Amino acid sequence: MTINTTTRSAAALNLDRFRLRNFVEGLNADELDVREEKVDLADVAAILQNNPKAVWFRNVGPEGQELVGNVVGSRSRLAKAFGVPAGEVALEMRRRLSLKPELVKLSKDEAPVQQVVLTGADADLLKLPVHVQHALDGAPYISATIDYTIDPKNGRYNCGMRRLMLRGPQEAGVDLIAPSDLRVMYMASAERGERLNVAYVVGCHPIDMVSATMKEPVDELELISSLRAAPLPVVKCVTNDIMVPADAEMVIEGYFDERGYVEKEGPYGEYLGYYGVVKTNPVFHVTAITHRKDALFQTATISGNRMDYTDTSNLEALRMEMNVWKILGEVVRQPVAVYAPVAAGGSMSMRFSIRQTYPGEARSALYAVLGAVGVKNVFVVDPDIDIFDDSQMEWAFGTRFQADRDLVIATGVRLSPLDPSLHGARSGAKAGYDLTWPVQHAQNWELVTPQAPSYPGERYPSLEAALKAGPKYFEELMAAVGSRDGREVVRELDTFRSRGLERDERGRYYLPK
């Protein structure tokens, strides 16, 4: 299988519309921290760590290069990339998956990412503004990378986000341990004694990064076009046949050699906020580096104790939310909202709310999400709870949950191998928390959340007329006579006691007819 491309002139495309530099320039001061002063590469990580903003270093390292980090380290910036409110990004992603992709092939002369072409000794990783990210990392890492490969079996493109550990001017370690399509492809190539060509994009629009985290049964180069909702300009690499986005900032071309898992890689601060151990991994060899004349190099934030401020957790949360929306669409009539708490790495916890239409619907949804998504803790609530609000979730947890009735536990299931609580085990446990009201009790008036009075109801000529019309809450009686002072209503109600004033089981006042 080969990808289908159309032919248009570069002039017919806006090759800067989905450029990283343009996106960064469009961020306001609330989202972007610009550092004009000279910054050493050794200080970059400390500035990025636990920073809620994207940071644009205009003069970094001895060469005075430009570097940007933490670009997608917030839901608001991801929402800006998709042009929708923060709570609707996952739904917008689902909508765009149905759009027909279009790839537009450009020539080398038309592709901005190939304005500068470096090969041989000039293709030097050590000339890039790569920094040490975590104190115990084994070396500086290029972290904001999207790898592009072609599956020899079907010709489909595979994309993912995997780090590169600097080993020299033309060599880097790559983390290829976790189960993935790329790992399967590489292992098959190594068994045949063949290299596997790969191209790494460094510096891209947030939508491209989102695409690289997804696992959809489609050509993943075309997936970028669908999520952009626009034609994707592509160009062939200069040292292999891989097509890459022509509007990227930089591409590092090369291959994994045929020796297999032969070199130590790591340690490295992983996306759950702890260190990954030293692993044996393949070696990546550089054959070329191409980039825009004014390329903006990119780094990603990954680890630490504030996962909600990292690129990787925000990307992972979006991917997980989209998967849960898909599941709920199959088992629930009225799903309301889905949220993966970014502070838990975006994958360890999941919250969703539904409007129940029949008994047991919430529990069925809970089992479905637990069974199909790689999360460890799942919470379901009624639609009156804002799942994006930690305070409301804690309130629901404290007042609507009984452990012997509402806790669901699944044991012996596969979890993320990076979960440190497994202590090396190959399987663990998941928990589901049903924080919904049982359908048969949900209408009980005492379960209504108290709110400030809004004084609804009809107007009556007198308090007596209002009381005779039927039971009313005190709030409704005030509205009935237009009272702005509840004390006067109390005083008048007192005069009706001798006439048989009654109150029903909900505390509403009325006069017997």
Side-chain angles (χ1 to χ4, degrees):
M1 173 183 173
T2 58
I3 60 171
N4 295 316
T5 58
T6 59
T7 302
R8 295 192 198 183
S9 68
L13 297 170
N14 182 351
L15 295 176
D16 288 330
R17 177 185 175 191
F18 292 97
R19 186 183 178 185
L20 172 65
R21 181 182 288 275
N22 277 15
F23 180 80
V24 173
E25 289 175 345
L27 297 175
N28 58 37
D30 292 336
E31 297 280 7
L32 181 65
D33 177 5
V34 180
R35 300 295 178 106
E36 298 284 358
E37 71 277 14
K38 187 171 183 59
V39 177
D40 289 336
L41 285 170
D43 297 327
V44 167
I47 294 171
L48 287 172
Q49 186 172 18
N50 297 345
N51 195 329
K53 297 183 180 182
V55 184
W56 187 358
F57 302 91
R58 302 293 295 271
N59 184 4
V60 72
E63 292 84 11
Q65 295 166 290
E66 289 188 274
L67 171 70
V68 67
N70 207 29
V71 173
V72 294
S74 78
R75 179 60 62 91
S76 61
R77 293 195 287 279
L78 284 165
K80 176 178 174 62
F82 281 92
V84 296
E88 298 178 15
V89 182
L91 284 174
E92 177 64 9
M93 289 167 59
R94 285 198 68 199
R95 184 190 72 81
R96 294 190 183 191
L97 284 179
S98 63
L99 301 179
K100 184 177 179 180
E102 181 184 358
L103 305 183
V104 181
K105 186 176 180 180
L106 302 184
S107 68
K108 174 185 178 300
D109 294 336
E110 296 174 308
V113 77
Q114 292 183 354
Q115 288 171 342
V116 177
V117 176
L118 304 171
T119 58
D122 292 330
D124 189 341
L125 295 176
L126 302 185
K127 292 182 178 179
L128 305 178
V130 188
H131 64 100
V132 177
Q133 295 193 266
H134 316 105
L136 302 183
D137 286 358
Y141 274 83
I142 305 175
S143 53
T145 60
I146 299 180
D147 52 73
Y148 290 79
T149 50
I150 302 172
D151 191 336
K153 293 188 303 182
N154 53 29
R156 277 185 176 178
Y157 273 75
N158 182 80
C159 303
M161 292 191 68
R162 295 170 186 85
R163 63 194 187 235
L164 290 173
M165 174 185 174
L166 296 190
R167 294 176 50 83
Q170 277 84 41
E171 282 192 5
V174 58
D175 182 25
L176 207 54
I177 295 296
S180 66
D181 293 334
L182 180 56
R183 184 179 183 222
V184 172
M185 282 188 278
Y186 174 68
M187 291 177 69
S189 294
E191 288 175 4
R192 295 191 303 267
E194 298 173 357
R195 300 172 174 178
L196 182 65
N197 288 331
V198 59
Y200 282 92
V201 165
V202 183
C204 64
H205 193 272
I207 289 178
D208 297 15
M209 299 184 77
V210 170
S211 174
T213 68
M214 296 171 62
K215 298 177 181 178
E216 295 292 321
V218 297
D219 183 286
E220 293 180 352
L221 189 62
E222 295 180 344
L223 179 61
I224 299 173
S225 172
S226 294
L227 289 185
R228 286 189 182 188
L232 174 68
V234 295
V235 64
K236 189 180 81 65
C237 288
V238 298
T239 59
N240 59 50
D241 291 331
I242 296 173
M243 306 290 287
V244 292
D247 54 3
E249 301 289 328
M250 176 179 292
V251 174
I252 303 173
E253 302 177 15
Y255 61 89
F256 301 145
D257 68 40
E258 63 275 17
R259 294 179 297 158
Y261 290 75
V262 294
E263 297 288 350
K264 299 295 185 184
E265 185 270 334
Y268 187 67
E270 298 284 2
Y271 80 98
L272 288 180
Y274 301 88
Y275 277 101
V277 298
V278 177
K279 308 168 186 176
T280 303
N281 264 308
V283 177
F284 172 71
H285 301 264
V286 177
T287 55
I289 296 176
T290 71
H291 61 82
R292 287 176 177 259
K293 290 179 180 178
D294 59 343
L296 178 58
F297 198 77
Q298 186 176 10
T299 187
T301 48
I302 294 175
S303 201
N305 59 1
R306 284 301 303 266
M307 305 306 298
D308 48 331
Y309 291 160
T310 65
D311 290 307
T312 49
S313 290
N314 278 278
L315 289 169
E316 180 70 2
L318 261 189
R319 183 181 73 84
M320 299 298 286
E321 288 174 24
M322 197 184 70
N323 289 343
V324 171
W325 274 113
K326 181 178 179 181
I327 292 166
L328 293 179
E330 297 173 352
V331 298
V332 174
R333 292 180 181 175
Q334 297 185 53
V336 176
V338 173
Y339 175 54
V342 186
S347 62
M348 303 301 280
S349 295
M350 181 62 65
R351 305 171 182 172
F352 65 92
S353 57
I354 66 170
R355 184 168 287 104
Q356 297 186 79
T357 58
Y358 59 85
E361 189 173 19
R363 192 63 58 93
S364 296
L366 196 62
Y367 279 116
V369 174
L370 278 171
V373 177
V375 295
K376 191 164 65 171
N377 298 293
V378 181
F379 302 81
V380 55
V381 297
D382 289 310
D384 67 310
I385 299 296
D386 180 359
I387 61 173
F388 297 94
D389 188 324
D390 291 346
S391 296
Q392 288 198 34
M393 287 298 298
E394 284 297 321
W395 173 56
F397 192 28
T399 60
R400 304 186 184 188
F401 176 78
Q402 287 293 318
D404 62 343
R405 180 192 66 204
D406 300 321
L407 177 63
V408 174
I409 297 178
T411 60
V413 294
R414 181 177 179 178
L415 297 177
S416 168
L418 295 177
D419 183 350
S421 70
L422 289 174
H423 301 299
R426 302 183 70 86
S427 63
K430 296 183 178 185
Y433 302 84
D434 187 347
L435 310 185
T436 63
W437 296 124
V439 172
Q440 63 270 30
H441 300 303
Q443 301 305 315
N444 291 358
W445 75 272
E446 64 268 26
L447 299 182
V448 175
T449 303
Q451 301 289 336
S454 58
Y455 307 104
E458 299 179 28
R459 292 293 299 269
Y460 289 85
S462 65
L463 189 66
E464 180 177 0
L467 289 168
K468 287 184 176 180
K472 290 180 178 57
Y473 292 108
F474 189 87
E475 172 194 29
E476 294 174 311
L477 291 177
M478 288 184 62
V481 294
S483 172
R484 307 304 296 171
D485 185 343
R487 294 170 298 177
E488 63 187 21
V489 176
V490 172
R491 185 174 290 110
E492 190 171 356
L493 281 175
D494 188 48
T495 66
F496 287 101
R497 298 188 187 283
S498 61
R499 297 175 54 185
L501 181 68
E502 294 283 356
R503 300 183 70 192
D504 65 13
E505 70 281 358
R506 294 192 178 187
R508 296 176 297 185
Y509 296 88
Y510 67 96
L511 279 174
K513 294 181 179 179

